[in-house]
Amino acid sequence: MFIHNLKYTVKILFKNKVLIFWMFAFPIILGIFFHMAFENIEKDEALQVFDIAVIDNKEYQNQTIYQETFKELSDKKNKDQLFHIHFVNKKEANQLLEDNEIEGYVLFNKQEPQIVIKENGMEQTILQFVMDEIKQNKRMIEDLTKKQIEDEIQQGNYNFNVQQIVHDILQKLNNQEVSLKDTSSSHLSYMQIEYYTLIAMACMYGGMLGLTAINNQLANMSAKGKRVSVSPNKKGILVLSSALGSYLVSLVGLAILLIFLKFGLNVEFGSQWLYIIILSLVGDLAGISMGIFIASVFRVSEQAKTGINIAISMFFSVLSGMMGVTLKYVIDKNIPIVNLINPNNLITDGFYALYYYNTFNRYIRDICCLGVFIIVCLFISFRALRRERYDYI
Amino acid sequence: MIIFSTVFKILNKLKGNLILYTVILLAITLFNTTSGNMNHYEATKPDILIVNKDQNNEITKGFVSYLKEQATLKDIDINDQEKVDDVLFYRDISYVVYIPENFGDDLVNDKNPTIEYKSNGNENASFTQMLIEKYIKTVNLYKEHYQGKALNQKVKQVINQKTKVNLNTSLDSSKLNQVNVYFNFLNYALLAGGVYCMTMILASLNQEGVRKRTIMSSFSYRKYNWIVFASLGLASFIVWLAYMIISFILFKEIMLSGNGIAYISNSFVFSICSLAVGFLIGTITHNKQAIGGIVNVVALGTSFLCGCFVPMSFMPSYVLKIAHILPTYYFVQNNELIKTLEYFKLETLQPIIINGIIVLGFTLSFVLITLMISKRKQKIG
């Protein structure tokens, strides 16, 4: 009987178009949307060459140091290029600023540089930093030339070459090397979290399969359930085989999603495939358990139960970072208990732990919490389903 | 009146869905606090962490104090490595500086000490690196002539030379950014919450048994249709109004300004369009389970492709080109225009009005398609 019911549960579930859409097609469609929307986001967060304007008036023509620095920082061949510079008059610069074509412009007034901007931001801060640096370098050259001349005079050398001194200081200024060593992880792509939330959501949508399979066994939910209830078969075997059937079908959906994410969208999972598979199996079981829990505890129509399943999954998905990774982080940081009982977050976090960390502590914690979630859901469901008898219905 | 009250009874049963998307909207808006103008120029400070193993050296003290001035030091336990890695990954900080032992002495003694760092490679991290390099280079240049505290003072004197910055606006972009997040996300809330409810109501009214009973009753079918249409219109208006009241509670000051009125008008035009989308979906199918799928794909698809979740400036140009065929694109583009709207002249309002007309054009076409499908279905029936 176990195998018979298992076989027919799988068959029935595969023929349910709506469930197959939610489990198989919807996560893939969403994955494509994610890919389209997030394709550039990480490239754009790195410092880009940005547009500025310089008011090309007589005063600017006298500023040799500024001219040379701007030339260097806007040189396309320079690997440290910072700016695209528009040399324009003030009216044009204001128009460019108004149209958001430039981040700001530089104006010389009584030999003093000024920056005009429309909004605060990192580009504007960097523009100010560059302008400050030119000013500070001028000051340093003046200071150090003066110091050098004083030293020469103190040593009784009056035959010094000022131009040579300035040249030496400039050389020193330009040829300094600062020793910095990057020890960052190479796995810093935070957009991967979005795809992990998608896997978590698919696991939870697997709950709809569990829910439908269990509903088919409940006398108060369907005619099929009534017939099953009056049959001489053991209810435990039927419920278990139905749950296993829905688990197997949802695993097929999850496997398709993982293959699509890995090979279709090049999502990074790290290299621990065995642990990834274990997490997927446990995560999917958590989804099925939630479906069984909703099916057995809520005394509402099948449609309402499906609605509850979708709503809970969606809400958990949002909390785990689906509509902005920041939300997951903010909750992790401030109210971690919420994310420790949120199965979507535990699955997402497990994938994150495998991708980002070299250790397994966090991964194991996530798996354990998922285990507790599964046990609690199944225990409550078991309590609700056992010894359910009807005299009439 | 019976039809009218039935519509609202069904809406009342579906209120959970509306509440869910409103909670999501609020969570996203409140957690999205971005930096911006406070009516004056303020340099953006990157968030960083410093792990200092050379606490007692004067030069190192000067270096740390400079970084503290130019960046924001986050209050995070530096001994908890997992926490440090987490904050870096989630962009809560951009850079971690590891100052080695004897850094200060080695620097002034020409030993060129190595500073290790962790960075997430964003522009804030690049800027932090610029700050570090500048300070060390300045110390290197002055160390021949100055020592200890005097060297620190000299370096400080030099790096305090600043260029004047004028902020050419009176807009409080910090608040406006948050308002913008709210109104962009409203697309999702209106479609996934509002439109879902409208289509579910239509599906309930169009259930085969209910529909047949309605048609065969003595009540004029045309009048019935009009009442359904008016009731859904009113329900949709109430949903929109509720979102506007929330926006007033959250951003009272801005909502009372010209920008606020522009946001309200834009969202009103879009809510009419979303009602038309609801009618279209409700006409295409009466299957309640299918409605959930269609509405979710439409709501999430338009939100992702049109810049509701990710700013348009971060999106690939080909996606934005595709987005031109969706009304949400013009709604979001209007929100972006309103965010930077400072002077209310015909010239500056023109692109917003044009986008609004395009959204109304979409609405009209949805209505026409709905009527066509509805007529065809009636004939088949």
Side-chain angles (χ1 to χ4, degrees), chain B residues 224-247:
Chain B
Y224 165 81
N225 273 337
W226 271 111
I227 297 173
V228 170
F229 177 76
S231 315
L232 287 178
L234 184 67
S236 168
F237 177 76
I238 291 169
V239 171
W240 170 81
L241 195 67
Y243 285 126
M244 291 308 108
I245 292 169
I246 294 171
S247 73

Short mmCIF file of all heavy atoms in Angstrom, two decimals, chain B residues 224-247:
data_model
loop_
_atom_site.label_atom_id
_atom_site.label_comp_id
_atom_site.label_asym_id
_atom_site.label_seq_id
_atom_site.Cartn_x
_atom_site.Cartn_y
_atom_site.Cartn_z
N TYR B 224 -25.61 45.94 -13.35
CA TYR B 224 -24.79 45.09 -12.45
C TYR B 224 -23.30 45.32 -12.72
O TYR B 224 -22.51 45.55 -11.80
CB TYR B 224 -25.18 43.63 -12.68
CG TYR B 224 -24.20 42.61 -12.12
CD1 TYR B 224 -24.21 42.26 -10.78
CD2 TYR B 224 -23.24 42.01 -12.96
CE1 TYR B 224 -23.33 41.33 -10.27
CE2 TYR B 224 -22.34 41.09 -12.46
CZ TYR B 224 -22.38 40.75 -11.12
OH TYR B 224 -21.49 39.84 -10.61
N ASN B 225 -22.96 45.30 -14.03
CA ASN B 225 -21.55 45.51 -14.39
C ASN B 225 -21.04 46.86 -13.92
O ASN B 225 -19.92 46.99 -13.43
CB ASN B 225 -21.38 45.40 -15.91
CG ASN B 225 -21.16 43.96 -16.31
OD1 ASN B 225 -20.72 43.14 -15.51
ND2 ASN B 225 -21.49 43.63 -17.55
N TRP B 226 -21.88 47.87 -14.08
CA TRP B 226 -21.47 49.21 -13.66
C TRP B 226 -21.24 49.28 -12.14
O TRP B 226 -20.30 49.91 -11.68
CB TRP B 226 -22.52 50.26 -14.09
CG TRP B 226 -22.21 50.77 -15.48
CD1 TRP B 226 -22.91 50.54 -16.62
CD2 TRP B 226 -21.07 51.55 -15.86
NE1 TRP B 226 -22.31 51.12 -17.69
CE2 TRP B 226 -21.16 51.77 -17.27
CE3 TRP B 226 -19.99 52.11 -15.17
CZ2 TRP B 226 -20.22 52.50 -17.98
CZ3 TRP B 226 -19.05 52.84 -15.89
CH2 TRP B 226 -19.17 53.02 -17.27
N ILE B 227 -22.13 48.62 -11.42
CA ILE B 227 -21.99 48.65 -9.95
C ILE B 227 -20.71 47.92 -9.53
O ILE B 227 -19.96 48.39 -8.67
CB ILE B 227 -23.23 48.06 -9.24
CG1 ILE B 227 -24.46 48.92 -9.56
CG2 ILE B 227 -23.04 48.00 -7.73
CD1 ILE B 227 -25.77 48.35 -9.06
N VAL B 228 -20.45 46.77 -10.19
CA VAL B 228 -19.22 46.04 -9.89
C VAL B 228 -18.01 46.94 -10.18
O VAL B 228 -17.08 47.06 -9.36
CB VAL B 228 -19.12 44.74 -10.72
CG1 VAL B 228 -17.74 44.11 -10.59
CG2 VAL B 228 -20.19 43.76 -10.29
N PHE B 229 -18.05 47.58 -11.34
CA PHE B 229 -16.95 48.45 -11.74
C PHE B 229 -16.75 49.58 -10.72
O PHE B 229 -15.63 49.85 -10.27
CB PHE B 229 -17.25 49.02 -13.14
CG PHE B 229 -16.23 49.99 -13.63
CD1 PHE B 229 -14.99 49.54 -14.09
CD2 PHE B 229 -16.49 51.35 -13.63
CE1 PHE B 229 -14.05 50.43 -14.53
CE2 PHE B 229 -15.54 52.26 -14.06
CZ PHE B 229 -14.31 51.80 -14.52
N ALA B 230 -17.88 50.23 -10.33
CA ALA B 230 -17.80 51.35 -9.39
C ALA B 230 -17.31 50.87 -8.02
O ALA B 230 -16.48 51.53 -7.37
CB ALA B 230 -19.17 52.01 -9.26
N SER B 231 -17.79 49.70 -7.59
CA SER B 231 -17.37 49.19 -6.27
C SER B 231 -15.88 48.89 -6.26
O SER B 231 -15.17 49.23 -5.31
CB SER B 231 -18.11 47.90 -5.93
OG SER B 231 -19.44 48.03 -6.20
N LEU B 232 -15.42 48.24 -7.34
CA LEU B 232 -13.98 47.94 -7.40
C LEU B 232 -13.15 49.22 -7.48
O LEU B 232 -12.08 49.32 -6.89
CB LEU B 232 -13.67 47.03 -8.58
CG LEU B 232 -14.12 45.58 -8.44
CD1 LEU B 232 -13.81 44.79 -9.69
CD2 LEU B 232 -13.45 44.92 -7.24
N GLY B 233 -13.69 50.19 -8.22
CA GLY B 233 -13.01 51.49 -8.32
C GLY B 233 -12.88 52.12 -6.94
O GLY B 233 -11.82 52.61 -6.55
N LEU B 234 -13.98 52.06 -6.18
CA LEU B 234 -13.98 52.65 -4.84
C LEU B 234 -13.02 51.88 -3.92
O LEU B 234 -12.24 52.49 -3.17
CB LEU B 234 -15.40 52.63 -4.26
CG LEU B 234 -15.54 53.30 -2.90
CD1 LEU B 234 -15.29 54.81 -3.01
CD2 LEU B 234 -16.93 53.07 -2.31
N ALA B 235 -13.07 50.54 -4.02
CA ALA B 235 -12.18 49.72 -3.18
C ALA B 235 -10.73 50.05 -3.49
O ALA B 235 -9.90 50.22 -2.59
CB ALA B 235 -12.45 48.25 -3.44
N SER B 236 -10.45 50.16 -4.78
CA SER B 236 -9.09 50.47 -5.21
C SER B 236 -8.67 51.87 -4.71
O SER B 236 -7.53 52.08 -4.27
CB SER B 236 -9.06 50.39 -6.73
OG SER B 236 -7.95 50.89 -7.24
N PHE B 237 -9.63 52.82 -4.75
CA PHE B 237 -9.36 54.17 -4.26
C PHE B 237 -9.06 54.14 -2.76
O PHE B 237 -8.13 54.80 -2.28
CB PHE B 237 -10.56 55.08 -4.56
CG PHE B 237 -10.40 56.48 -4.03
CD1 PHE B 237 -9.57 57.38 -4.69
CD2 PHE B 237 -11.07 56.89 -2.89
CE1 PHE B 237 -9.41 58.67 -4.20
CE2 PHE B 237 -10.92 58.18 -2.39
CZ PHE B 237 -10.08 59.07 -3.05
N ILE B 238 -9.81 53.33 -2.02
CA ILE B 238 -9.60 53.23 -0.57
C ILE B 238 -8.20 52.67 -0.27
O ILE B 238 -7.50 53.16 0.61
CB ILE B 238 -10.71 52.38 0.10
CG1 ILE B 238 -12.04 53.15 0.03
CG2 ILE B 238 -10.38 52.03 1.54
CD1 ILE B 238 -13.26 52.34 0.41
N VAL B 239 -7.82 51.64 -1.04
CA VAL B 239 -6.48 51.06 -0.84
C VAL B 239 -5.41 52.12 -1.10
O VAL B 239 -4.48 52.32 -0.31
CB VAL B 239 -6.27 49.83 -1.78
CG1 VAL B 239 -4.83 49.37 -1.76
CG2 VAL B 239 -7.21 48.70 -1.39
N TRP B 240 -5.57 52.86 -2.21
CA TRP B 240 -4.60 53.91 -2.55
C TRP B 240 -4.57 54.98 -1.44
O TRP B 240 -3.49 55.42 -1.02
CB TRP B 240 -4.99 54.54 -3.90
CG TRP B 240 -4.21 55.78 -4.24
CD1 TRP B 240 -2.96 55.85 -4.76
CD2 TRP B 240 -4.63 57.13 -4.03
NE1 TRP B 240 -2.56 57.16 -4.90
CE2 TRP B 240 -3.58 57.97 -4.46
CE3 TRP B 240 -5.79 57.72 -3.54
CZ2 TRP B 240 -3.64 59.36 -4.40
CZ3 TRP B 240 -5.85 59.11 -3.48
CH2 TRP B 240 -4.79 59.91 -3.91
N LEU B 241 -5.78 55.36 -0.98
CA LEU B 241 -5.88 56.39 0.06
C LEU B 241 -5.16 55.94 1.34
O LEU B 241 -4.46 56.73 1.99
CB LEU B 241 -7.36 56.67 0.35
CG LEU B 241 -7.64 57.94 1.14
CD1 LEU B 241 -7.28 59.17 0.33
CD2 LEU B 241 -9.12 58.00 1.52
N ALA B 242 -5.31 54.66 1.66
CA ALA B 242 -4.66 54.13 2.87
C ALA B 242 -3.13 54.27 2.74
O ALA B 242 -2.46 54.69 3.69
CB ALA B 242 -5.03 52.67 3.06
N TYR B 243 -2.62 53.96 1.55
CA TYR B 243 -1.18 54.10 1.34
C TYR B 243 -0.74 55.57 1.43
O TYR B 243 0.35 55.88 1.89
CB TYR B 243 -0.76 53.49 0.00
CG TYR B 243 -0.74 51.98 0.04
CD1 TYR B 243 -1.44 51.23 -0.89
CD2 TYR B 243 0.00 51.30 1.01
CE1 TYR B 243 -1.43 49.83 -0.84
CE2 TYR B 243 0.01 49.92 1.06
CZ TYR B 243 -0.70 49.18 0.14
OH TYR B 243 -0.68 47.83 0.19
N MET B 244 -1.60 56.46 0.96
CA MET B 244 -1.26 57.89 1.03
C MET B 244 -1.25 58.37 2.49
O MET B 244 -0.40 59.15 2.91
CB MET B 244 -2.25 58.74 0.22
CG MET B 244 -2.16 58.54 -1.26
SD MET B 244 -0.49 58.72 -1.92
CE MET B 244 -0.11 57.04 -2.29
N ILE B 245 -2.22 57.87 3.28
CA ILE B 245 -2.27 58.25 4.70
C ILE B 245 -0.99 57.77 5.40
O ILE B 245 -0.37 58.51 6.17
CB ILE B 245 -3.54 57.68 5.38
CG1 ILE B 245 -4.78 58.38 4.80
CG2 ILE B 245 -3.49 57.84 6.89
CD1 ILE B 245 -6.11 57.77 5.17
N ILE B 246 -0.56 56.54 5.06
CA ILE B 246 0.68 56.02 5.66
C ILE B 246 1.85 56.92 5.27
O ILE B 246 2.70 57.26 6.10
CB ILE B 246 0.94 54.56 5.20
CG1 ILE B 246 -0.14 53.64 5.76
CG2 ILE B 246 2.33 54.09 5.62
CD1 ILE B 246 -0.11 52.23 5.21
N SER B 247 1.87 57.35 3.99
CA SER B 247 2.98 58.20 3.55
C SER B 247 2.97 59.54 4.31
O SER B 247 4.02 60.08 4.64
CB SER B 247 2.93 58.43 2.04
OG SER B 247 1.89 59.31 1.72
#
